[in-house]
Amino acid sequence: MENAEIESVDEEMPSQNGRQYRPVVSDDRAVIQMSSMGSSSSTDIPVKKINMPSQVETAASIRDGPHEGLGHSQKDSKLELFGFDSLVNILGLKSMTGEQIPTPSSPRESEDVSITVGRPKETGPGPKLGTMMGVFLPCLQNILGIIYYIRFSWIVGMAGVGEALVLVAFCGSCTFLTGISLSAIATNGAMKGGGPYYLIGRALGPEVGVSIGLCFFLGTAVAGAMYVLGAVETFLDALPNAGFFRESVIVITNSTSTNGTKPDLVATTVSTPSLHDLQIYGIIVTILLCFIVFGGVKIINRVAPAFLIPVLFSLLCIFVGVFSAPRSDASSGIMGLNLQTFKENWSSDYQRTTNAGIPDPEGSVYWNFNALVGLFFPAVTGIMAGSNRSASLKDTQRSIPIGTLAATLTTSSLYLISVLLFGALAAREELLTNRLLTAEVAWPFPIIIYVGIILSTLGAALQSLTGAPRLLAAIANDDILPVLNYFKVTEGGEPHLATLFTAFICIGCVVIGNLDLITPTITMFFLLCYAGVNLSCFLLDLLDAPSWRPRWKFHHWSLSLLGASLCIVIMFLISWTFTVVSLALASLIYYYVSLKGKAGDWGDGFKSAYFQLALRSLRSLGANQVHPKNWYPIPLIFCRPWGKLPENVPCHPKLADFANCVKKKGRGMSIFVSIIDGDYHELAEDAKTACRQLSTYIDYKRCEGVAEIIVAPNMSDGFRGIVQTMGLGNLKPNIIVMRYPEIWRRENLTQIPSTFVSVINDCIIANKAVVIVKGLDEWPGEYQRQYGTIDLYWIVRDGGLMLLLSQLLLTKESFESCKIQVFCIAEEDTEAEELKADVKKFLYDLRMQAEVIVVTMRSWEAHMENGPQQEDSVEAFTSAQRRIAAYLAEMKETAQKGGKSLMADGKPVVVNEQQVDKFLYTTLKLNSTILKYSRMAAVVLVSLPPPPLNHPAYFYMEYMDLLVENVPRMLIVRGYRRDVVTLFT
């Protein structure tokens, strides 16, 4: 696009494909800064203000036809159908990477939105790091530590060459498999800061992520103290005079006497570093390292090579010294590379030693392979050093796999070669007694090894003090635990407060000064993190969700499972006690996050597992009918069909209580549905808001269920759509629960009868059970205990639903003190005792305890022959007759004026006045019977009569009002064409 095309605002834009484009005006609100797309253009393009339409206006303009926007040439308008919108181009892509961006469709009034079209500006704290400086060297620096220099030759002497190779391969395989899992997860999309916490949290959920992340933070922080203590101890060993306090230990050894017959005891005084010297120097070194960390990533990257290069040079000196051994001043046990020595050192020689590792038959420490695993494993940790700095990497998806695995393979190869060389270099006694064999062997001077030990441990400590604060800041930035809000940092900022907290932990461990107590704790935390990474990859690989597409292809769920198993085995091999303690700490953090943490949905693997398990279960259920033994009520709660509630109350407060009553122990799914009358396009946002309010209400009432809001032209159409489409397979709702419309006559709501009858007819046609709650306002709460009876008026066969509901009510605390009475309604000429015996036998086979009462009722014909009797609700009966007669007269008058047949609710009806009286009489007799026997009942259950065909809905409401007259609490139940209880086991 030429500059002149943008600057020309006074001319009319040309028409393209029948569309007219208006010119850009200068007083528009939003600003789009359009930079040159071509790399060859170096001229500045003037900025013009153009009007960015709102989201609704944009959608309407696209839907209705002509779209006003920027003019483009034909070749630049390939996406003309969608309209030119830079918000989609830039902000849409950013949102897919998980970046937090403001919503583009809702700028405040008089606020300009500045957008740069083209290449986005670089943000962040300076240049990013590549694979070498960002991952490989930090991992190498963290893995190579003090254990290689001062304990590795001793491990070879104790385990022998054969088992030492197994030990290195065993521990190295654990970290290598973890590196493969780490590589797979890290290459499955953009990765923010937080390293293993970010990976585990996004794969296993925030609770697991935070619990393992905090443990790994503690392990990394404490590891910094271990490295500092190792550096200070080596420094004091090399320069004993540098200590402020002097301590010495007398070591007694056996030596052969001059005549060779009786051994002599030789006492040797050995100077050891004082605990107070370790504490003083350790605190000073920690503070100095913290100053370097406070300088930021730039300073760390400049300082890190100064620590690493001498370490690599010292390793070279060791290997040169090994191949040139023995020198003239070497100990007698160092014989140079010798095959015979190699054979003698092949087997293991586990024995007791002192705390310093010196062989002693009376020593307090007995070594075996398990103990050596605990000693050596810290020498292979550190593979997370690169991922801990993921926020500072240029390309995490490339750098983390290559750098981490390269560092792991390099160090493991170094260890394996060193086992072979040390096994052939010196006798076993020399390997076990010479603590600094590497220093004595090194060419040309032993001081090089001391420098290498000190710098390697300080470099590892620097990496720990760098990674731990960033890990803590990443956990805090996710806003899961409010208590960690103090450690939040802005994008591109340095975690200074988190660094101070890490330094405080490190100094506290330095003051303790006991490496033997610190090392197992660190190992357990690292292993716990490694197991979490492997389990995350295993779960993601096994589920194979559509979003699981890692660039790193050399992985498989079996490898991740093997890596996790190795981590767990190593934990228990090292120490049962420390394993239990670390798992207990992680469990406590998990429990705390579950209680106090904020909900975070990161699309984790557990959610995917639940989803796939639900899909698999749904497919296995199929669409066939469920056996009565496996039948579960899935109630659909009709929230606001009628009745007046405040606008901010999405559902009647007692409906959720009742929904829990129809589920055993509250388990099972409920679907809360509300219908909004109107046009969907206009009320879609209102429906979403109402759905969120209803979901909040369900959670508040602790009811297991989901919320659905439907927008429909009217309530009847909305419910008809719900009853046909709601649910999947056998997980469709099977019981419709709604409130009885008690207010329809009082509020003169004339539309309620037709809607009420329509809903019931739709349920019958769709083969759904119906439960209508009368007296919902008086329904007992969770802790309102009821006494008396639960009375069932069992009139028609309903598949046992009424019996099942009564049993479910008894499982609730409110009704557990009640007893069940079953009333069988029969005509006068029925064999009452025979019917009673049959019902008792049926209830016994159903394992239900209930009292059976047979009630006889006169038929309509007997009533007409013998004349009326005085009933409790005769006044209501007479009033209903008068209202029906008046309504019928009005219908006839309307039909005569229009010259049409009788019409009601927009449909032709046929009215048999004698049949109407018969229905009124039947409901009157049933109501009188209920009032006679169940006036003090806690709740009454009665069968729901279906709406008569071709009767006006108004008449049916009169029948129902007469049925529920003066009954305070009633459930009107209609089953469906299937059994929900069974006699068989």
Side-chain angles (χ1 to χ4, degrees):
M1 182 183 294
E2 299 296 332
N3 296 354
E5 292 181 353
I6 298 179
E7 293 175 350
S8 179
V9 298
D10 297 328
E11 299 178 4
E12 190 71 26
M13 288 289 182
S15 171
Q16 292 186 7
N17 298 334
R19 300 191 179 196
Q20 296 293 329
Y21 293 84
R22 68 170 176 83
V24 179
V25 295
S26 59
D27 57 348
D28 291 327
R29 289 183 298 172
V31 177
I32 294 188
Q33 299 175 0
M34 303 192 66
S35 59
S36 176
M37 296 294 184
S39 59
S40 60
S41 175
S42 60
T43 59
D44 294 330
I45 299 176
V47 175
K48 298 295 179 183
K49 291 186 176 181
I50 67 171
N51 186 33
M52 293 296 296
S54 67
Q55 195 173 20
V56 176
E57 294 170 347
T58 304
S61 62
I62 294 174
R63 183 177 63 250
D64 296 339
H67 174 66
E68 295 180 354
L70 291 176
H72 294 278
S73 62
Q74 183 65 30
K75 62 180 181 181
D76 293 334
S77 300
K78 295 178 181 179
L79 297 179
E80 183 181 353
L81 173 64
F82 300 96
F84 180 83
D85 188 358
S86 59
L87 294 174
V88 175
N89 298 338
I90 297 175
L91 300 186
L93 293 178
K94 282 190 175 181
S95 67
M96 291 174 64
T97 64
E99 297 184 29
Q100 298 295 326
I101 57 173
T103 304
S105 59
S106 57
R108 288 190 289 268
E109 289 296 327
S110 304
E111 182 180 34
D112 289 344
V113 182
S114 182
I115 305 164
T116 303
V117 179
R119 185 172 182 176
K121 295 181 180 179
E122 295 289 338
T123 60
K128 298 286 187 175
L129 303 177
T131 303
M132 179 64 69
M133 295 300 298
V135 180
F136 179 75
L137 291 182
C139 288
L140 196 68
Q141 200 167 21
N142 238 22
I143 295 173
L144 290 175
I146 191 172
I147 291 177
Y148 178 79
Y149 288 100
I150 67 175
R151 297 294 262 177
F152 195 73
S153 59
W154 182 91
I155 291 174
V156 174
M158 184 67 69
V161 175
E163 292 193 19
L165 291 173
V166 174
L167 175 65
V168 173
F170 183 58
C171 297
S173 299
C174 177
T175 55
F176 183 73
L177 292 174
T178 304
I180 292 177
S181 299
L182 176 68
S183 301
I185 304 176
T187 58
N188 190 47
M191 181 179 171
K192 294 184 179 179
Y197 156 73
Y198 183 86
L199 301 178
I200 296 172
R202 268 56 179 181
L204 300 181
E207 294 86 359
V208 179
V210 171
S211 57
I212 295 181
L214 286 177
C215 288
F216 188 67
F217 160 74
L218 290 175
T220 307
V222 175
M226 181 190 73
Y227 296 134
V228 169
L229 286 175
V232 172
E233 186 173 345
T234 305
F235 171 73
L236 293 176
D237 279 338
L239 298 174
N241 294 329
F244 300 103
F245 305 92
R246 299 293 177 89
E247 287 187 6
S248 59
V249 177
I250 299 177
V251 179
I252 300 176
T253 57
N254 295 328
S255 64
T256 305
S257 62
T258 54
N259 56 14
T261 57
K262 184 178 180 181
D264 295 333
L265 297 178
V266 178
T268 306
T269 303
V270 179
S271 299
T272 60
S274 170
L275 175 63
H276 300 300
D277 287 334
L278 292 175
Q279 292 170 342
I280 294 173
Y281 280 105
I283 293 173
I284 295 172
V285 170
T286 304
I287 293 174
L288 292 176
L289 291 176
C290 285
F291 278 119
I292 298 176
V293 175
F294 269 113
V297 178
K298 290 182 180 180
I299 302 299
I300 295 171
N301 292 334
R302 292 173 183 172
V303 174
F307 289 103
L308 183 61
I309 292 175
V311 173
L312 298 178
F313 181 70
S314 67
L315 292 175
L316 178 62
C317 293
I318 291 175
F319 281 101
V320 172
V322 167
F323 285 103
S324 61
R327 296 201 304 271
S328 58
D329 56 343
S331 301
S332 58
I334 301 176
M335 297 168 288
L337 298 179
N338 187 290
L339 182 60
Q340 183 62 32
T341 306
F342 183 84
K343 292 180 180 179
E344 293 175 357
N345 291 334
W346 178 261
S347 60
S348 62
D349 186 18
Y350 296 116
Q351 53 188 293
R352 290 186 176 275
T353 67
T354 63
N355 290 331
I358 305 299
D360 185 357
E362 303 298 327
S364 59
V365 182
Y366 178 76
W367 292 93
N368 54 23
F369 185 81
N370 295 357
L372 290 182
V373 171
L375 175 64
F376 175 71
F377 192 82
V380 297
T381 60
I383 61 173
M384 299 292 180
S387 61
N388 284 344
R389 307 164 71 176
S390 54
S392 303
L393 299 177
K394 287 180 183 177
D395 186 359
T396 56
Q397 299 188 40
R398 181 179 182 275
S399 297
I400 289 180
I402 296 176
T404 302
L405 293 177
T408 304
L409 290 175
T410 300
T411 52
S412 296
S413 301
L414 173 68
Y415 291 149
L416 290 173
I417 294 173
S418 298
V419 169
L420 299 175
L421 294 179
F422 288 153
L425 176 67
R428 188 183 299 274
E429 184 180 358
E430 186 72 21
L431 294 174
L432 293 176
T433 56
N434 194 341
R435 188 176 181 182
L436 284 172
L437 178 66
T438 54
E440 187 171 347
V441 169
W443 178 89
F445 307 110
I447 192 63
I448 296 176
I449 303 304
Y450 287 106
V451 174
I453 294 174
I454 294 173
L455 292 181
S456 69
T457 50
L458 290 180
L462 181 65
Q463 297 299 332
S464 297
L465 292 176
T466 302
R470 283 159 175 76
L471 177 60
L472 182 61
I475 299 175
N477 284 342
D478 277 335
D479 202 22
I480 300 297
L481 281 180
V483 72
L484 299 179
N485 288 342
Y486 300 104
F487 303 111
K488 286 184 177 180
V489 294
T490 58
E491 185 177 359
E494 290 291 333
H496 296 306
L497 194 59
T499 303
L500 284 176
F501 183 65
T502 305
F504 177 78
I505 295 176
C506 188
I507 290 175
C509 294
V510 166
V511 170
I512 295 175
N514 190 342
L515 279 175
D516 295 333
L517 182 64
I518 293 174
T519 304
T521 309
I522 299 168
T523 305
M524 292 303 165
F525 286 151
F526 284 157
L527 283 168
L528 197 62
C529 178
Y530 297 165
V533 172
N534 282 297
L535 288 175
S536 301
C537 188
F538 166 73
L539 185 62
L540 293 172
D541 253 331
L542 199 62
L543 296 174
D544 198 19
S547 60
W548 176 243
R549 300 186 305 275
R551 296 180 184 272
W552 183 259
K553 302 300 181 183
F554 303 101
H555 67 92
H556 191 266
W557 63 265
S558 58
L559 295 178
S560 301
L561 183 60
L562 178 60
S565 302
L566 285 177
C567 292
I568 295 173
V569 169
I570 291 174
M571 289 177 70
F572 284 98
L573 282 178
I574 294 173
S575 172
W576 283 80
T577 305
F578 281 102
T579 300
V580 172
V581 169
S582 60
L583 291 176
L585 178 61
S587 300
L588 286 176
I589 298 175
Y590 179 93
Y591 182 69
Y592 179 77
V593 175
S594 301
L595 289 180
K596 302 293 185 181
K598 297 181 181 179
D601 187 4
W602 297 334
D604 55 83
F606 282 133
K607 299 289 177 61
S608 180
Y610 297 152
F611 183 74
Q612 291 203 22
L613 182 62
L615 290 180
R616 187 170 300 176
S617 302
L618 189 61
R619 287 196 302 268
S620 64
L621 284 176
N624 299 324
Q625 287 192 357
V626 179
H627 193 277
K629 286 191 296 185
N630 299 324
W631 187 87
Y632 279 85
I634 305 178
L636 187 146
I637 315 297
F638 209 6
C639 292
R640 300 183 61 148
W642 25 74
K644 293 186 176 180
L645 293 175
E647 288 298 325
N648 59 345
V649 179
C651 183
H652 193 288
K654 295 297 182 67
L655 266 177
D657 295 334
F658 180 76
N660 282 329
C661 287
V662 298
K663 295 182 294 185
K664 190 173 183 179
K665 297 181 180 179
R667 294 194 299 262
M669 182 178 68
S670 299
I671 303 176
F672 289 77
V673 173
S674 188
I675 299 174
I676 299 178
D677 295 345
D679 182 74
Y680 175 70
H681 291 171
E682 297 177 356
L683 300 175
E685 292 300 322
D686 294 341
K688 293 178 183 178
T689 302
C691 189
R692 288 192 293 268
Q693 293 176 348
L694 187 55
S695 298
T696 304
Y697 163 81
I698 295 171
D699 295 338
Y700 170 73
K701 298 297 288 185
R702 293 181 296 176
C703 184
E704 294 183 359
V706 296
E708 293 289 346
I709 302 295
I710 306 298
V711 180
N714 54 66
M715 191 174 298
S716 297
D717 291 346
F719 183 81
R720 191 166 294 121
I722 290 171
V723 80
Q724 292 181 77
T725 60
M726 189 68 69
L728 292 172
N730 275 316
L731 289 182
K732 290 183 177 180
N734 46 32
I735 300 178
I736 309 300
V737 178
M738 58 183 169
R739 181 185 185 185
Y740 183 77
E742 303 171 48
I743 67 167
W744 76 277
R745 193 190 313 281
R746 184 172 67 249
E747 302 291 339
N748 195 26
L749 302 174
T750 56
Q751 77 279 7
I752 283 183
S754 61
T755 305
F756 183 69
V757 171
S758 173
V759 168
I760 294 176
N761 283 329
D762 289 341
C763 294
I764 294 173
I765 295 173
N767 195 25
K768 306 288 185 185
V770 182
V771 177
I772 301 173
V773 187
K774 195 267 180 183
L776 185 63
D777 294 334
E778 288 78 30
W779 191 262
E782 185 178 358
Y783 303 108
Q784 294 176 327
R785 186 175 292 274
Q786 302 296 301
Y787 298 93
T789 58
I790 299 174
D791 292 350
L792 282 66
Y793 286 81
W794 199 12
I795 302 173
V796 297
R797 182 178 180 273
D798 61 356
L801 179 60
M802 192 183 296
L803 298 173
L804 181 63
L805 287 177
S806 64
Q807 292 297 308
L808 292 174
L809 288 176
L810 284 182
T811 63
K812 305 303 170 187
E813 198 171 324
S814 304
F815 294 97
E816 63 181 4
S817 301
C818 298
K819 296 181 179 180
I820 296 178
Q821 292 185 147
V822 177
F823 292 86
C824 298
I825 307 299
E827 295 185 357
E828 288 181 334
D829 56 352
T830 305
E831 293 290 340
E833 292 301 323
E834 183 179 349
L835 176 61
K836 182 175 182 179
D838 290 342
V839 173
K840 275 190 172 182
K841 176 66 167 58
F842 179 72
L843 295 178
Y844 175 80
D845 291 337
L846 286 176
R847 307 166 305 281
M848 291 180 58
Q849 294 183 354
E851 182 182 357
V852 179
I853 302 172
V854 177
V855 179
T856 58
M857 250 176 40
R858 284 200 308 169
S859 65
W860 166 252
E861 290 76 11
H863 167 75
M864 295 300 295
E865 290 177 3
N866 302 327
Q869 295 181 352
Q870 185 67 27
E871 307 288 352
D872 290 342
S873 302
V874 67
E875 183 179 348
F877 174 78
T878 306
S879 300
Q881 279 185 320
R882 286 198 303 267
R883 288 191 296 268
I884 287 178
Y887 189 85
L888 181 59
E890 184 179 347
M891 288 172 54
K892 290 179 178 179
E893 182 181 355
T894 304
Q896 289 175 358
K897 288 181 179 179
K900 300 179 181 179
S901 60
L902 289 179
M903 299 286 291
D905 309 319
K907 297 178 294 184
V909 295
V910 178
V911 178
N912 185 334
E913 296 186 31
Q914 185 177 4
Q915 192 179 34
V916 172
D917 289 341
K918 180 179 180 180
F919 288 157
L920 282 175
Y921 169 77
T922 303
T923 53
L924 169 66
K925 290 296 294 182
L926 185 56
N927 176 263
S928 300
T929 303
I930 293 173
L931 293 179
K932 179 180 180 181
Y933 292 100
S934 306
R935 191 180 292 272
M936 301 303 294
V939 63
V940 175
L941 285 78
V942 65
S943 298
L944 172 68
L949 294 176
N950 300 324
H951 273 225
Y954 180 87
F955 289 6
Y956 183 72
M957 287 304 301
E958 290 288 356
Y959 307 152
M960 295 299 299
D961 278 356
L962 187 56
L963 175 63
V964 303
E965 182 73 20
N966 296 324
V967 182
R969 196 182 297 150
M970 177 184 285
L971 301 182
I972 311 169
V973 181
R974 179 174 180 82
Y976 56 109
R977 296 185 297 271
R978 58 168 305 170
D979 293 331
V980 298
V981 293
T982 180
L983 304 177
F984 304 102
T985 182

